[in-house]
Amino acid sequence: MHEMGLAVEIRRLAREAVAGHGPGRIEIVRVAVGELSAVEPDLLEFAWEAAVAGTEDAASKLEVDFRPARQTCRVCGEIAGRAPGSWLRLCPRCGDALTVSGGDDLDVLRVVFEETVPLGGASS
Ligand SMILES: [Zn+2]
């Protein structure tokens, strides 16, 4: 399951994004996962929990924004939903081969970070 390595990498990127904000914990990380990126959203969420377990980010949540691929039939136009066929998708209306595009996203979209205020050290 390569989702585990990916979860560790996402946490590294999220931590990098909030570097310089001082101590704190990550609350939410939102990632885009394309249909063709070979990543299972469920497995990734599960891997995230394992990746942050025992760290200051243990209570954080990984949100997956699933991005389906775009399927176009040259006769019928855009086809919604996952068309049948594994290596070659066929148009559910006319049976013609579909052109598949997009859906290969794999990005960190947003990191919600909560700064922890150092106890006793605050000077206002
Ligand atoms: Zn068609």
Side-chain angles (χ1 to χ4, degrees), residues 73 75-76 91 93-96:
C73 173
V75 183
C76 316
C91 178
R93 288 181 218 161
C94 70
D96 203 353

PDB file of all heavy atoms in Angstrom, residues 73 75-76 91 93-96, ligand 1:
ATOM      1  N   CYS A  73     -16.991  11.351 -25.416  1.00  0.00           N
ATOM      2  CA  CYS A  73     -17.285  10.540 -26.597  1.00  0.00           C
ATOM      3  C   CYS A  73     -17.360  11.503 -27.773  1.00  0.00           C
ATOM      4  O   CYS A  73     -17.954  12.567 -27.664  1.00  0.00           O
ATOM      5  CB  CYS A  73     -18.627   9.824 -26.415  1.00  0.00           C
ATOM      6  SG  CYS A  73     -19.163   8.973 -27.907  1.00  0.00           S
ATOM      7  N   VAL A  75     -18.993  11.266 -30.326  1.00  0.00           N
ATOM      8  CA  VAL A  75     -20.351  11.337 -30.858  1.00  0.00           C
ATOM      9  C   VAL A  75     -21.307  11.982 -29.858  1.00  0.00           C
ATOM     10  O   VAL A  75     -22.054  12.892 -30.176  1.00  0.00           O
ATOM     11  CB  VAL A  75     -20.882   9.917 -31.213  1.00  0.00           C
ATOM     12  CG1 VAL A  75     -22.280  10.010 -31.831  1.00  0.00           C
ATOM     13  CG2 VAL A  75     -19.913   9.216 -32.148  1.00  0.00           C
ATOM     14  N   CYS A  76     -21.263  11.515 -28.603  1.00  0.00           N
ATOM     15  CA  CYS A  76     -22.248  11.939 -27.598  1.00  0.00           C
ATOM     16  C   CYS A  76     -21.765  13.068 -26.694  1.00  0.00           C
ATOM     17  O   CYS A  76     -22.541  13.589 -25.908  1.00  0.00           O
ATOM     18  CB  CYS A  76     -22.653  10.755 -26.726  1.00  0.00           C
ATOM     19  SG  CYS A  76     -22.965   9.251 -27.636  1.00  0.00           S
ATOM     20  N   CYS A  91     -18.269   4.195 -24.455  1.00  0.00           N
ATOM     21  CA  CYS A  91     -19.438   5.036 -24.267  1.00  0.00           C
ATOM     22  C   CYS A  91     -20.657   4.170 -23.959  1.00  0.00           C
ATOM     23  O   CYS A  91     -20.958   3.226 -24.697  1.00  0.00           O
ATOM     24  CB  CYS A  91     -19.690   5.854 -25.532  1.00  0.00           C
ATOM     25  SG  CYS A  91     -21.161   6.871 -25.412  1.00  0.00           S
ATOM     26  N   ARG A  93     -23.618   4.893 -24.301  1.00  0.00           N
ATOM     27  CA  ARG A  93     -24.714   5.129 -25.241  1.00  0.00           C
ATOM     28  C   ARG A  93     -24.460   4.492 -26.598  1.00  0.00           C
ATOM     29  O   ARG A  93     -25.305   3.820 -27.147  1.00  0.00           O
ATOM     30  CB  ARG A  93     -24.940   6.626 -25.431  1.00  0.00           C
ATOM     31  CG  ARG A  93     -25.582   7.256 -24.212  1.00  0.00           C
ATOM     32  CD  ARG A  93     -25.814   8.739 -24.426  1.00  0.00           C
ATOM     33  NE  ARG A  93     -25.542   9.454 -23.177  1.00  0.00           N
ATOM     34  CZ  ARG A  93     -25.288  10.754 -23.105  1.00  0.00           C
ATOM     35  NH1 ARG A  93     -25.263  11.484 -24.199  1.00  0.00           N
ATOM     36  NH2 ARG A  93     -25.047  11.325 -21.959  1.00  0.00           N
ATOM     37  N   CYS A  94     -23.259   4.702 -27.144  1.00  0.00           N
ATOM     38  CA  CYS A  94     -23.024   4.226 -28.504  1.00  0.00           C
ATOM     39  C   CYS A  94     -21.898   3.191 -28.596  1.00  0.00           C
ATOM     40  O   CYS A  94     -21.676   2.598 -29.644  1.00  0.00           O
ATOM     41  CB  CYS A  94     -22.733   5.401 -29.442  1.00  0.00           C
ATOM     42  SG  CYS A  94     -21.134   6.158 -29.131  1.00  0.00           S
ATOM     43  N   GLY A  95     -21.183   2.955 -27.497  1.00  0.00           N
ATOM     44  CA  GLY A  95     -20.152   1.920 -27.511  1.00  0.00           C
ATOM     45  C   GLY A  95     -18.826   2.344 -28.098  1.00  0.00           C
ATOM     46  O   GLY A  95     -17.895   1.541 -28.184  1.00  0.00           O
ATOM     47  N   ASP A  96     -18.741   3.594 -28.479  1.00  0.00           N
ATOM     48  CA  ASP A  96     -17.495   4.100 -29.041  1.00  0.00           C
ATOM     49  C   ASP A  96     -16.458   4.264 -27.915  1.00  0.00           C
ATOM     50  O   ASP A  96     -16.812   4.383 -26.749  1.00  0.00           O
ATOM     51  CB  ASP A  96     -17.761   5.455 -29.718  1.00  0.00           C
ATOM     52  CG  ASP A  96     -16.708   5.772 -30.777  1.00  0.00           C
ATOM     53  OD1 ASP A  96     -15.720   5.019 -30.874  1.00  0.00           O
ATOM     54  OD2 ASP A  96     -16.891   6.767 -31.515  1.00  0.00           O
TER      55      ASP A  96
HETATM   56 ZN    ZN B   1     -21.129   7.822 -27.503  1.00  0.00          ZN
END
